[in-house]
Amino acid sequence: MSGALLRILHVEDDPQDRELAQATLAADGLQCRVQCVDARGEFEAALLGETFDIILADYSLPRFDGLTAQAIARRLAPQTPFIFLSATLGEELAIDRLKEGATDYVLKQRIGRLPAAVRRARREASERAERQRAEEDVRRLNAELEARVADRSAALAAAHDTLASREQQWRESDQLLRAILDHSPMAMIVKDLEDRYLLISRQAELFLAKPRDAIIGRTSAEIVAPRIADIYRAHDREVIRTKLPAQFEEPFFGPGGLGVLASTRFPLLDDTGAVYAVCCVSTEITARKKSEDEVQLARLEAERANLAKSEFLSRMSHDLRTPLNAILGFAQVLELEPLEADHLDNVRQILSGGRHLLNLINEVLDITRIESGHLSLSTEPVAVADVIEQTVSLIKPLAAQRGITIEVPPIAHEEAVLSDRQRLTQILINLLSNAVKYNRIGGRVTIAFAPGSRARRQPSRLTVSDTGAGISPESLKLLFQPFERLGAEQTATEGTGLGLALSRALAQAMGGRLGVDSVIDQGSAFWIELPAADAPSTAAADLEPAATPAARAIATRGTVLYVEDNMANVRLIERILKRRPGVELVHAPQGTVALALVRERRPNAILLDLHLPDMTGDEVLRHLWADPDTRTIPAVVVTADATPGIARRLQASGATACLTKPLDVGDVLRVVDELLGAPAGSEKHV
Ligand code: ADP
């Protein structure tokens, strides 16, 4: 410190004293720069101008005084040591000054003490400054510490808050989970990978038939029947393997017995994507399953019943036609004999009755087939002009008998409707025969055709108008009901009351409509609407000139094998073929006999009944087809089950043609003529 230059402010008016002080300090080795002032203004200016290490002040000066100087110094430079250097300061006064904060006092008369006083004051000041700095450091450190503590406390408080709110959240979500588990109608289960139950809902207790305490921590094998546990395990394994949710139908054995659950099992994955548990949510579907099973059972039952119905239809068709075959067949044969007029009339009565019965059977069967959905239709573009021509030619004789004219407009061959040709013909025959039957003598039947448009989905309309009595509005309501003849049953006009009901059902089955407009005393107009179609491909017409019946009878020669177990039918065919003297008839009562005879006699044609005692006609056809030697022999199926479906099936198995019982004599002769060499052609009256 002695080396440092001391800056001293000396309040002193006496130049000698000033010098003495400086000399004394210098003599003691204190390097000083002393600024001397003797007035208040100078003193203040000096203190404000720079910092001093020591202030020395005389007590009384002419223009200033040490007391005031001390007060000013305390205000402007409180850290700077203040030493009174005076000749006048008494002991008491000095103590007062020291109490007021003066550092020391030195009497001028003992100035030799000044250096020591300065040194001490200087040391004390520097110690004080040091202490203050240390205190400052401590204060700062304290403050820092306090700040840090405050920060930590705040952080702790925040952490505590978070923890508390987390705890609250956890408590809430736990309560939520419990509420869901306890009140959900679903059964919920969580199992670990060792199949131990970790969590279950109340509903699951029911499905596992045990209280929760008896389930948690146990495996399914310990809780449910082994077979059921195996199923649950297998389903869990699948979910664990695929890591995907999956739906299952699972059994359970609850208080009500064995039930069915619809379960969704899904894996629970940890942060790394590994499966750590399986969750299963189930609802009971026992009742639903039961009703589904019942519906399925009812459907099977209905299908069975339907099958039984169509089998019954087939049997009916067969059983009713077989005796009719004998009645109509022999009556037709008789009709061809030279008979006396009244006998011929009797035969025709039999024929008429038989045909009426046949008609009735056919129509009833058709209606039943439509109702049961067993009507098989083959819809195709059908040329309207062709069908009209064919039906008009059939009805014309009946019309002629009653002096009724049938007017047919010219219709282009291209005009076609989408329908089943056979069924459309059947409808048109019905409408035309009604228009003739219920017309007045000498009346008129007019056919009209309004083509539709395929593009605009506008149907084509075919109308048959008559000039009959017309139908009253009340009767119109009953017109299409089966067996409803509207009083015609009391007249001589024959009918079954089924024609219109069947015609309408057929039209609808073909996607069309059938209706009527009628005016009493003016006549009725029956119409049928069907989808318009593109022109049908022109079937190659049979251009061969028709041979005369006599020429055909002579040209037809060869052997015909008739496979049939019903002897009445065999005799009928014998009688029919008597009209073909060149034809030899060979008879086989069974399928096996037939196959042997085919090889032995090499017939030119085979007539085959479908119901044989030892095998079905289908089997006989298959055997014939399998052998290249017999495959080429034409086989004609003769059947009473004349559904179009059966006819198509038989032709697919190799049958050449199909003849329907009751047999039409003309049809039999035509088919035999075609197969045994004579030119084809229709022959109704041989
Ligand atoms: P069916 O002619 O066999 O009696 P339909 O079902 O064809 O049976 O006709 C039912 C009834 O409708 C007939 O009995 C007849 O009374 C009446 N009917 C049908 N067509 C005409 C018609 N064109 N004019 C007047 N009445 C008709």
Side-chain angles (χ1 to χ4, degrees), residues 165-180:
S165 94
R166 288 262 166 83
E167 224 176 86
Q168 177 71 12
Q169 280 173 5
W170 179 82
R171 250 198 310 279
E172 279 170 11
S173 69
D174 189 55
Q175 276 163 5
L176 187 71
L177 182 65
R178 292 250 149 256
I180 291 172

Side-chain angles (χ1 to χ4, degrees), residues 448-576:
F449 177 71
S453 153
R454 223 158 75 88
R456 278 179 279 124
R457 292 169 168 265
Q458 190 189 333
S460 301
R461 184 186 266 231
L462 198 58
T463 311
V464 176
S465 314
D466 62 57
T467 53
I471 304 163
S472 71
E474 300 80 61
S475 296
L476 278 179
K477 290 183 198 143
L478 306 169
L479 191 62
F480 293 99
Q481 287 184 9
F483 297 110
E484 181 57 72
R485 295 204 65 209
L486 304 173
E489 63 275 17
Q490 274 132 38
T491 67
T493 313
E494 280 186 8
T496 58
L498 287 170
L500 285 178
L502 176 60
S503 297
R504 172 174 269 189
L506 284 172
Q508 286 168 349
M510 293 191 293
R513 297 195 307 151
L514 190 142
V516 60
D517 302 308
S518 190
V519 180
I520 288 283
D521 292 337
Q522 285 187 24
S524 312
F526 282 84
W527 51 261
I528 169 168
E529 280 183 355
L530 287 165
D534 290 337
S537 56
T538 17
D542 188 0
L543 297 174
E544 282 181 56
T548 62
R552 244 172 299 175
I554 293 158
T556 303
R557 19 188 83 256
T559 305
V560 171
L561 171 66
Y562 186 25
V563 193
E564 167 69 271
D565 61 324
N566 182 316
M567 285 316 289
N569 288 342
V570 178
R571 274 199 294 279
L572 175 59
I573 291 289
E574 266 172 15
R575 297 290 277 276
I576 294 172

